[in-house]
Amino acid sequence: MSMGRRQKSQSPLWIAHHELAQSPGHRFYETLNALLREAAFDRHAEALCAPYYEAAHVPGRKSVAPGVYFRMHLVGFFEGIESERGLEWRFADSLSLRQFLGCSLTQRVPDHSTLSRTRQRLPLAVHQAVFALILGIVEAKGLLKGRVLGVDSTYLRADASMKAIVRRDTRESYLEFVTRLAEEAGVSTPTAEDARRLDRKRTGKKTSNREWVSRTDQDARIAKLKDGRTRLAYKPEHVVDLETGAIVAAVVHPADVADPASLEASLTQAESNLQTARRGDPEAAAKDPVPKDADDPPRGGHQPRRKVVADKGYHTATLLRRMKTQRYRTYIPERRQAGRRRWTDKGGTPTAVAFHQNRARGLRALGKRYHRWRAERTERTFAHVCETGGARRTRLRGRANVAKRYLLQAAGANLALVMRTLYGLGTPRGWADRAQEALRAFWGSIRALSHRWWVPLRSRVTFLRALAPYWPPRADRITWSARLLARP
């Protein structure tokens, strides 16, 4: 066989349909498409988006189908792609993903500008409704209980730099601000190095959101990370069903909002999503009975709405009183505090009662179990969405845009939970690894069978090789054996 050489070739003018390159397809995306088709996802998504487009009879270019737009962002979670340009390149490069979208080879994949304009056209309420629609799929598969909710928050790195912050009053940059301070301190014509040296020694140095704002992203807020770094960020908060691991709500708050201040808004959104996922049926909440191990049942027969489990960052006495008023049963560990607590400035006796009831529930075996669930299952959702899902660093600006993209990331995490429960694996990479493991298991069984067949054969070959010097028999050996057999 001679070696082929790459040569310049002219593309044919006409090509038959059967000669086009065909994709073998991706089993994971084919199964996911069947799951979405079973829930009539495209029909519901088009009904949600129809009020924001012109009527069908109006002339003009047709927009991207809503099902295509939402599928592209779901693939962003499954493939860990953080930017819309990366989504465009990935779909244009993959035949199996084209098949997932329903695009033929003659159709062009929607580019990043089309995705951006579609996101700006559709409001946040539509993305929230699509998230609730996918949560309805989770409910249909029996993976949504809604009785024990875990709440936690993390940070998203904004698409803005600390070098681009300016003062709210004078609109000065940080370098211009410290240069002005150096001139006021008596340094004539200070250089940038002189200004920085003076800034290091300046007393009361503080970068506050009340004084500074980003020039490129007005909604981003200055936040201090756990490792001590200061970054412009957002704060997403997850409300997770601790019995199944499904994300009930994902709300993006400003980074400077404290955890106790954002908890009630997230729980309100979670209640709305649960009602929408259960098709607004008021009897749906009664389908799941109250757990048998419920502690201190309330007097008068009034069952709590939900159980809320959070870490000590959410613990405030006034919040516990408000949660009890709203019929939530809290499991929030308290912070260490020296001295006796005062209740006169926090609401009096009702606040003290809610505080001590919350403390007693957290010390019981059931409360400790809930906290183990929260530490495991709530943090797992952040690992799926932010780390492997590629949402830790956002490439969008504005809290509304970030919230839209993040909602679709969380919806992808819920679909991954359904796929993992039904089929054992929840990501395309997991399905590919399972195929490799099946191939390795097949070859292992072949080797085991060959070994079982070869060991007896090898012993026989060894025995025949030992008889080789005595075969074929000589005439004297034949005579000796004949005499031996002739004896009476």
Side-chain angles (χ1 to χ4, degrees):
M1 178 183 295
S2 61
M3 181 182 65
R5 299 181 182 276
R6 184 177 180 184
Q7 299 177 357
K8 294 182 178 180
S9 60
Q10 182 178 2
S11 301
L13 182 61
W14 305 100
I15 184 171
H17 181 270
H18 67 275
E19 295 179 356
L20 293 173
Q22 298 293 330
S23 169
H26 199 294
R27 185 61 180 167
F28 175 83
Y29 289 114
E30 292 176 357
T31 309
L32 181 59
N33 241 346
L35 185 65
L36 296 176
R37 194 180 308 115
E38 178 186 356
F41 175 77
D42 294 274
R43 179 169 58 85
H44 290 298
E46 291 170 5
L48 291 171
C49 300
Y52 304 97
Y53 290 95
E54 298 291 343
H57 64 273
V58 176
R61 179 188 173 190
K62 299 294 183 182
S63 68
V64 175
V68 173
Y69 167 75
F70 292 120
R71 276 179 172 84
M72 291 187 72
H73 284 89
L74 292 177
V75 171
F77 165 78
F78 290 116
E79 301 286 337
I81 303 173
E82 63 182 14
S83 66
E84 292 175 346
R85 292 178 183 269
L87 286 177
E88 177 193 355
W89 180 88
R90 184 71 178 92
F91 276 92
D93 188 63
S94 174
L95 292 177
S96 60
L97 290 181
R98 279 177 170 269
Q99 184 177 354
F100 176 66
L101 285 186
C103 295
S104 63
L105 291 178
T106 58
Q107 291 179 332
R108 183 178 178 181
V109 174
D111 55 13
H112 64 92
S113 61
T114 303
L115 293 178
S116 177
R117 291 180 65 87
T118 305
R119 185 187 65 251
Q120 294 173 6
R121 175 182 291 269
L122 300 177
L124 181 59
V126 172
H127 292 77
Q128 190 68 55
V130 171
F131 174 82
L133 179 61
I134 294 179
L135 192 63
I137 300 177
V138 180
E139 162 73 17
K141 299 303 178 181
L143 297 176
L144 185 62
K145 303 299 182 183
R147 299 176 297 190
V148 185
L149 302 178
V151 185
D152 204 353
S153 62
T154 185
Y155 76 94
L156 297 182
R157 290 185 58 186
D159 191 25
S161 174
M162 288 291 293
K163 297 179 181 179
I165 60 175
V166 295
R167 289 190 64 84
R168 292 182 180 271
D169 50 359
T170 61
R171 310 303 294 181
E172 293 176 307
S173 66
Y174 199 83
L175 182 59
E176 294 172 348
F177 172 68
V178 296
T179 302
R180 179 169 62 84
L181 292 182
E183 292 176 352
E184 293 175 356
V187 181
S188 59
T189 62
T191 62
E193 181 63 28
D194 296 334
R196 293 192 185 95
R197 187 182 303 109
L198 177 66
D199 185 58
R200 294 192 197 101
K201 301 178 181 179
R202 179 164 57 95
T203 59
K205 179 180 177 181
K206 185 178 180 182
T207 308
S208 173
N209 285 299
R210 297 189 184 95
E211 301 174 356
W212 298 90
V213 66
S214 173
R215 186 172 58 244
T216 55
D217 189 354
Q218 301 289 331
D219 294 338
R221 294 292 181 266
I222 302 170
K224 188 174 183 180
L225 307 184
K226 293 183 178 180
D227 56 0
R229 294 179 298 165
T230 304
R231 294 289 184 271
L232 288 168
Y234 292 95
K235 189 187 87 166
E237 194 166 50
H238 286 191
V239 181
V240 181
D241 188 347
L242 292 185
E243 295 181 90
T244 61
I247 301 176
V248 182
V251 185
V252 177
H253 300 281
D256 57 347
V257 176
D259 288 343
S262 62
L263 176 61
E264 293 177 273
S266 299
L267 289 178
T268 302
Q269 187 62 55
E271 293 288 345
S272 176
N273 291 341
L274 286 172
Q275 293 179 4
T276 306
R278 290 167 174 171
R279 305 297 188 269
D281 185 7
E283 297 180 358
K287 294 180 181 179
D288 294 324
V290 178
K292 296 181 180 180
D293 55 356
D295 51 352
D296 58 70
R299 298 177 181 178
H302 298 288
Q303 295 292 346
R305 295 172 67 184
R306 316 279 176 203
K307 295 182 178 182
V308 178
V309 187
D311 58 11
K312 64 178 64 177
Y314 289 87
H315 188 280
T316 60
T318 54
L319 176 64
L320 296 177
R321 177 175 52 83
R322 293 197 304 268
M323 298 293 288
K324 183 181 179 182
T325 304
Q326 300 173 18
R327 293 177 49 223
Y328 284 108
R329 181 176 292 173
T330 57
Y331 295 82
I332 305 177
E334 59 182 295
R335 305 173 183 176
R336 292 185 179 179
Q337 178 176 336
R340 299 183 61 181
R341 297 183 180 270
R342 299 174 59 90
W343 307 108
T344 55
D345 57 340
K346 300 179 180 63
T349 303
T351 305
V353 171
F355 174 87
H356 289 288
Q357 287 180 348
N358 174 79
R359 172 191 285 179
R361 283 192 294 266
L363 296 177
R364 295 170 188 161
L366 181 62
K368 295 179 180 179
R369 185 199 309 170
Y370 286 162
H371 285 298
R372 287 194 299 268
W373 285 2
R374 186 208 61 81
E376 175 187 354
R377 300 175 186 179
T378 307
E379 296 294 340
R380 183 185 297 164
T381 61
F382 290 125
H384 289 330
V385 175
C386 298
E387 304 302 335
T388 58
R392 178 64 71 184
R393 170 69 183 268
T394 180
R395 297 297 178 180
L396 304 175
R397 293 176 180 175
R399 188 159 69 97
N401 290 327
V402 174
K404 292 174 185 178
R405 178 66 192 275
Y406 196 84
L407 274 172
L408 298 181
Q409 293 282 110
N414 282 339
L415 284 177
L417 173 66
V418 175
M419 297 289 287
R420 191 181 308 113
T421 304
L422 296 181
Y423 306 103
L425 295 169
T427 58
R429 187 180 303 173
W431 282 61
D433 294 342
R434 184 171 67 175
Q436 294 180 1
E437 291 176 1
L439 184 61
R440 286 195 295 266
F442 172 75
W443 283 113
S445 60
I446 293 297
R447 291 182 60 185
L449 291 175
S450 63
H451 180 74
R452 182 177 181 182
W453 172 78
W454 171 247
V455 169
L457 181 61
R458 185 172 58 183
S459 61
R460 293 179 184 179
V461 171
T462 304
F463 175 73
L464 293 176
R465 287 179 179 175
L467 294 179
Y470 305 99
W471 193 267
R474 295 198 298 266
D476 55 347
R477 293 178 182 174
I478 296 176
T479 306
W480 177 81
S481 59
R483 293 176 182 175
L484 183 62
L485 295 174
R487 291 183 179 180

Short mmCIF file of all heavy atoms in Angstrom, two decimals, residues 363-400:
data_model
loop_
_atom_site.label_atom_id
_atom_site.label_comp_id
_atom_site.label_asym_id
_atom_site.label_seq_id
_atom_site.Cartn_x
_atom_site.Cartn_y
_atom_site.Cartn_z
N LEU A 363 -29.86 20.38 68.49
CA LEU A 363 -29.08 19.46 69.33
C LEU A 363 -29.60 18.03 69.28
O LEU A 363 -28.94 17.13 69.79
CB LEU A 363 -29.09 19.97 70.78
CG LEU A 363 -28.39 21.32 71.01
CD1 LEU A 363 -28.53 21.74 72.47
CD2 LEU A 363 -26.92 21.24 70.60
N ARG A 364 -30.76 17.81 68.70
CA ARG A 364 -31.31 16.46 68.63
C ARG A 364 -30.68 15.68 67.48
O ARG A 364 -30.00 16.23 66.62
CB ARG A 364 -32.82 16.52 68.47
CG ARG A 364 -33.52 17.12 69.68
CD ARG A 364 -34.97 17.39 69.39
NE ARG A 364 -35.60 18.13 70.48
CZ ARG A 364 -36.72 18.81 70.38
NH1 ARG A 364 -37.35 18.85 69.22
NH2 ARG A 364 -37.22 19.45 71.42
N ALA A 365 -30.93 14.37 67.49
CA ALA A 365 -30.35 13.51 66.46
C ALA A 365 -30.86 13.88 65.08
O ALA A 365 -30.11 13.84 64.09
CB ALA A 365 -30.65 12.05 66.78
N LEU A 366 -32.14 14.24 64.99
CA LEU A 366 -32.70 14.61 63.69
C LEU A 366 -32.06 15.88 63.16
O LEU A 366 -31.74 15.99 61.97
CB LEU A 366 -34.22 14.81 63.81
CG LEU A 366 -34.96 15.18 62.53
CD1 LEU A 366 -34.81 14.08 61.50
CD2 LEU A 366 -36.41 15.46 62.82
N GLY A 367 -31.84 16.87 64.04
CA GLY A 367 -31.20 18.10 63.60
C GLY A 367 -29.77 17.87 63.13
O GLY A 367 -29.32 18.47 62.15
N LYS A 368 -29.04 17.00 63.82
CA LYS A 368 -27.67 16.70 63.39
C LYS A 368 -27.66 15.99 62.05
O LYS A 368 -26.77 16.21 61.21
CB LYS A 368 -26.98 15.84 64.46
CG LYS A 368 -26.77 16.57 65.78
CD LYS A 368 -26.12 15.68 66.81
CE LYS A 368 -25.92 16.43 68.14
NZ LYS A 368 -25.29 15.56 69.17
N ARG A 369 -28.65 15.13 61.82
CA ARG A 369 -28.75 14.47 60.52
C ARG A 369 -29.02 15.48 59.42
O ARG A 369 -28.42 15.41 58.34
CB ARG A 369 -29.86 13.42 60.54
CG ARG A 369 -29.95 12.60 59.25
CD ARG A 369 -31.30 11.92 59.13
NE ARG A 369 -31.63 11.19 60.34
CZ ARG A 369 -32.84 10.68 60.58
NH1 ARG A 369 -33.82 10.86 59.69
NH2 ARG A 369 -33.09 10.02 61.69
N TYR A 370 -29.90 16.43 59.67
CA TYR A 370 -30.19 17.46 58.66
C TYR A 370 -28.96 18.30 58.35
O TYR A 370 -28.74 18.68 57.20
CB TYR A 370 -31.33 18.36 59.15
CG TYR A 370 -32.70 17.72 59.10
CD1 TYR A 370 -33.76 18.23 59.83
CD2 TYR A 370 -32.93 16.58 58.31
CE1 TYR A 370 -35.03 17.65 59.78
CE2 TYR A 370 -34.18 15.99 58.26
CZ TYR A 370 -35.22 16.53 59.00
OH TYR A 370 -36.46 15.95 58.95
N HIS A 371 -28.17 18.59 59.37
CA HIS A 371 -26.96 19.38 59.12
C HIS A 371 -25.93 18.59 58.31
O HIS A 371 -25.20 19.17 57.50
CB HIS A 371 -26.36 19.85 60.44
CG HIS A 371 -27.12 20.99 61.07
ND1 HIS A 371 -27.25 22.20 60.46
CD2 HIS A 371 -27.80 21.07 62.25
CE1 HIS A 371 -27.97 23.01 61.23
NE2 HIS A 371 -28.32 22.35 62.32
N ARG A 372 -25.85 17.29 58.52
CA ARG A 372 -24.97 16.47 57.67
C ARG A 372 -25.46 16.48 56.24
O ARG A 372 -24.67 16.56 55.29
CB ARG A 372 -24.90 15.04 58.21
CG ARG A 372 -24.10 14.89 59.49
CD ARG A 372 -23.79 13.43 59.78
NE ARG A 372 -25.00 12.65 59.96
CZ ARG A 372 -25.59 12.42 61.14
NH1 ARG A 372 -25.07 12.95 62.24
NH2 ARG A 372 -26.68 11.69 61.23
N TRP A 373 -26.77 16.39 56.05
CA TRP A 373 -27.33 16.47 54.70
C TRP A 373 -27.01 17.81 54.05
O TRP A 373 -26.66 17.87 52.87
CB TRP A 373 -28.85 16.29 54.76
CG TRP A 373 -29.30 14.88 55.00
CD1 TRP A 373 -28.51 13.79 55.19
CD2 TRP A 373 -30.65 14.41 55.07
NE1 TRP A 373 -29.27 12.67 55.40
CE2 TRP A 373 -30.59 13.02 55.32
CE3 TRP A 373 -31.88 15.02 54.97
CZ2 TRP A 373 -31.72 12.25 55.45
CZ3 TRP A 373 -33.02 14.26 55.10
CH2 TRP A 373 -32.95 12.89 55.33
N ARG A 374 -27.15 18.89 54.83
CA ARG A 374 -26.88 20.21 54.26
C ARG A 374 -25.43 20.35 53.84
O ARG A 374 -25.12 20.85 52.75
CB ARG A 374 -27.22 21.30 55.27
CG ARG A 374 -27.11 22.71 54.73
CD ARG A 374 -26.79 23.70 55.83
NE ARG A 374 -25.53 23.41 56.49
CZ ARG A 374 -24.34 23.75 56.01
NH1 ARG A 374 -24.24 24.38 54.85
NH2 ARG A 374 -23.24 23.44 56.67
N ALA A 375 -24.51 19.89 54.69
CA ALA A 375 -23.10 20.00 54.37
C ALA A 375 -22.73 19.18 53.14
O ALA A 375 -21.82 19.56 52.38
CB ALA A 375 -22.25 19.55 55.57
N GLU A 376 -23.44 18.09 52.90
CA GLU A 376 -23.12 17.22 51.77
C GLU A 376 -23.88 17.63 50.51
O GLU A 376 -23.28 17.85 49.45
CB GLU A 376 -23.45 15.78 52.14
CG GLU A 376 -23.28 14.81 50.99
CD GLU A 376 -23.77 13.41 51.32
OE1 GLU A 376 -24.13 13.19 52.49
OE2 GLU A 376 -23.80 12.57 50.41
N ARG A 377 -25.19 17.74 50.59
CA ARG A 377 -26.01 17.87 49.39
C ARG A 377 -26.12 19.29 48.89
O ARG A 377 -26.22 19.51 47.68
CB ARG A 377 -27.39 17.26 49.66
CG ARG A 377 -27.28 15.78 50.03
CD ARG A 377 -28.59 15.17 50.42
NE ARG A 377 -28.39 13.80 50.90
CZ ARG A 377 -29.35 13.00 51.33
NH1 ARG A 377 -30.61 13.45 51.36
NH2 ARG A 377 -29.07 11.77 51.73
N THR A 378 -26.12 20.26 49.78
CA THR A 378 -26.15 21.64 49.31
C THR A 378 -24.82 22.05 48.69
O THR A 378 -24.79 22.68 47.63
CB THR A 378 -26.51 22.58 50.47
OG1 THR A 378 -27.71 22.12 51.10
CG2 THR A 378 -26.73 23.99 49.97
N GLU A 379 -23.73 21.67 49.32
CA GLU A 379 -22.42 21.99 48.76
C GLU A 379 -22.18 21.24 47.45
O GLU A 379 -21.46 21.74 46.58
CB GLU A 379 -21.32 21.65 49.77
CG GLU A 379 -21.37 22.45 51.06
CD GLU A 379 -21.09 23.93 50.84
OE1 GLU A 379 -20.51 24.28 49.79
OE2 GLU A 379 -21.46 24.74 51.70
N ARG A 380 -22.79 20.08 47.31
CA ARG A 380 -22.63 19.32 46.06
C ARG A 380 -23.23 20.07 44.88
O ARG A 380 -22.70 20.03 43.76
CB ARG A 380 -23.28 17.95 46.20
CG ARG A 380 -23.12 17.04 44.99
CD ARG A 380 -23.91 15.78 45.19
NE ARG A 380 -23.41 15.03 46.33
CZ ARG A 380 -24.09 14.05 46.92
NH1 ARG A 380 -25.31 13.75 46.51
NH2 ARG A 380 -23.57 13.40 47.94
N THR A 381 -24.35 20.77 45.10
CA THR A 381 -24.94 21.54 44.00
C THR A 381 -24.02 22.66 43.54
O THR A 381 -23.93 22.94 42.34
CB THR A 381 -26.30 22.11 44.44
OG1 THR A 381 -26.11 23.00 45.56
CG2 THR A 381 -27.25 21.01 44.84
N PHE A 382 -23.32 23.31 44.47
CA PHE A 382 -22.37 24.35 44.08
C PHE A 382 -21.21 23.74 43.29
O PHE A 382 -20.71 24.35 42.34
CB PHE A 382 -21.84 25.08 45.31
CG PHE A 382 -22.87 25.95 45.97
CD1 PHE A 382 -23.17 25.79 47.32
CD2 PHE A 382 -23.54 26.92 45.27
CE1 PHE A 382 -24.12 26.59 47.94
CE2 PHE A 382 -24.48 27.74 45.87
CZ PHE A 382 -24.78 27.56 47.21
N ALA A 383 -20.77 22.55 43.68
CA ALA A 383 -19.68 21.90 42.94
C ALA A 383 -20.12 21.57 41.52
O ALA A 383 -19.35 21.75 40.56
CB ALA A 383 -19.24 20.63 43.67
N HIS A 384 -21.37 21.10 41.35
CA HIS A 384 -21.86 20.76 40.02
C HIS A 384 -22.05 22.01 39.16
O HIS A 384 -21.64 22.03 37.99
CB HIS A 384 -23.18 20.00 40.13
CG HIS A 384 -23.03 18.60 40.65
ND1 HIS A 384 -21.89 17.86 40.45
CD2 HIS A 384 -23.87 17.81 41.37
CE1 HIS A 384 -22.03 16.67 41.01
NE2 HIS A 384 -23.22 16.62 41.58
N VAL A 385 -22.68 23.03 39.71
CA VAL A 385 -23.03 24.20 38.90
C VAL A 385 -21.82 25.10 38.67
O VAL A 385 -21.56 25.52 37.53
CB VAL A 385 -24.17 24.99 39.58
CG1 VAL A 385 -24.46 26.28 38.82
CG2 VAL A 385 -25.43 24.15 39.66
N CYS A 386 -21.05 25.39 39.72
CA CYS A 386 -19.99 26.39 39.62
C CYS A 386 -18.66 25.82 39.16
O CYS A 386 -17.93 26.49 38.40
CB CYS A 386 -19.82 27.10 40.97
SG CYS A 386 -21.28 28.01 41.51
N GLU A 387 -18.33 24.62 39.58
CA GLU A 387 -17.01 24.08 39.24
C GLU A 387 -17.06 23.29 37.94
O GLU A 387 -16.50 23.70 36.94
CB GLU A 387 -16.50 23.21 40.40
CG GLU A 387 -16.45 23.94 41.74
CD GLU A 387 -15.57 25.17 41.72
OE1 GLU A 387 -14.65 25.24 40.88
OE2 GLU A 387 -15.81 26.09 42.52
N THR A 388 -17.72 22.13 37.94
CA THR A 388 -17.78 21.32 36.71
C THR A 388 -18.70 21.95 35.68
O THR A 388 -18.54 21.72 34.47
CB THR A 388 -18.26 19.90 37.03
OG1 THR A 388 -19.56 19.96 37.66
CG2 THR A 388 -17.31 19.21 37.97
N GLY A 389 -19.69 22.74 36.11
CA GLY A 389 -20.58 23.39 35.17
C GLY A 389 -20.05 24.67 34.56
O GLY A 389 -20.66 25.22 33.64
N GLY A 390 -18.93 25.19 35.06
CA GLY A 390 -18.29 26.35 34.46
C GLY A 390 -18.95 27.67 34.77
O GLY A 390 -18.82 28.62 33.98
N ALA A 391 -19.65 27.79 35.91
CA ALA A 391 -20.34 29.03 36.23
C ALA A 391 -19.65 29.85 37.31
O ALA A 391 -20.22 30.85 37.76
CB ALA A 391 -21.78 28.73 36.67
N ARG A 392 -18.49 29.44 37.76
CA ARG A 392 -17.81 30.19 38.82
C ARG A 392 -17.41 31.59 38.36
O ARG A 392 -17.48 32.55 39.11
CB ARG A 392 -16.58 29.42 39.30
CG ARG A 392 -15.77 30.11 40.37
CD ARG A 392 -16.56 30.29 41.64
NE ARG A 392 -16.79 29.03 42.33
CZ ARG A 392 -17.51 28.88 43.41
NH1 ARG A 392 -18.14 29.93 43.91
NH2 ARG A 392 -17.67 27.70 43.97
N ARG A 393 -17.00 31.71 37.12
CA ARG A 393 -16.63 33.01 36.55
C ARG A 393 -17.67 33.37 35.49
O ARG A 393 -17.78 32.69 34.48
CB ARG A 393 -15.23 32.97 35.95
CG ARG A 393 -14.85 34.20 35.13
CD ARG A 393 -14.69 35.40 36.03
NE ARG A 393 -14.41 36.62 35.28
CZ ARG A 393 -13.18 37.05 35.02
NH1 ARG A 393 -12.13 36.34 35.42
NH2 ARG A 393 -12.99 38.16 34.36
N THR A 394 -18.44 34.40 35.71
CA THR A 394 -19.44 34.80 34.74
C THR A 394 -18.82 35.69 33.68
O THR A 394 -17.90 36.46 33.95
CB THR A 394 -20.61 35.51 35.43
OG1 THR A 394 -21.57 35.90 34.46
CG2 THR A 394 -20.14 36.74 36.18
N ARG A 395 -19.31 35.56 32.46
CA ARG A 395 -18.85 36.39 31.35
C ARG A 395 -19.90 37.43 30.95
O ARG A 395 -19.78 38.03 29.89
CB ARG A 395 -18.54 35.50 30.15
CG ARG A 395 -17.41 34.53 30.39
CD ARG A 395 -16.10 35.24 30.64
NE ARG A 395 -15.01 34.32 30.93
CZ ARG A 395 -13.77 34.70 31.18
NH1 ARG A 395 -13.46 35.98 31.19
NH2 ARG A 395 -12.83 33.80 31.44
N LEU A 396 -20.91 37.63 31.79
CA LEU A 396 -21.96 38.58 31.51
C LEU A 396 -21.90 39.72 32.53
O LEU A 396 -21.32 39.55 33.61
CB LEU A 396 -23.34 37.90 31.56
CG LEU A 396 -23.52 36.71 30.63
CD1 LEU A 396 -24.86 36.06 30.86
CD2 LEU A 396 -23.36 37.13 29.18
N ARG A 397 -22.53 40.81 32.20
CA ARG A 397 -22.54 41.98 33.08
C ARG A 397 -23.98 42.38 33.36
O ARG A 397 -24.83 42.35 32.47
CB ARG A 397 -21.78 43.13 32.43
CG ARG A 397 -20.29 42.85 32.30
CD ARG A 397 -19.57 43.96 31.56
NE ARG A 397 -18.14 43.65 31.46
CZ ARG A 397 -17.27 44.40 30.78
NH1 ARG A 397 -17.68 45.50 30.16
NH2 ARG A 397 -16.00 44.05 30.73
N GLY A 398 -24.23 42.76 34.59
CA GLY A 398 -25.58 43.08 35.00
C GLY A 398 -26.19 41.91 35.74
O GLY A 398 -26.10 40.77 35.30
N ARG A 399 -26.81 42.19 36.89
CA ARG A 399 -27.35 41.10 37.73
C ARG A 399 -28.46 40.35 37.02
O ARG A 399 -28.58 39.14 37.19
CB ARG A 399 -27.86 41.67 39.06
CG ARG A 399 -28.25 40.59 40.06
CD ARG A 399 -28.23 41.15 41.47
NE ARG A 399 -29.29 42.10 41.69
CZ ARG A 399 -30.46 41.81 42.26
NH1 ARG A 399 -30.69 40.55 42.65
NH2 ARG A 399 -31.36 42.73 42.48
N ALA A 400 -29.26 41.02 36.21
CA ALA A 400 -30.33 40.33 35.49
C ALA A 400 -29.76 39.33 34.49
O ALA A 400 -30.23 38.17 34.42
CB ALA A 400 -31.22 41.34 34.78
#
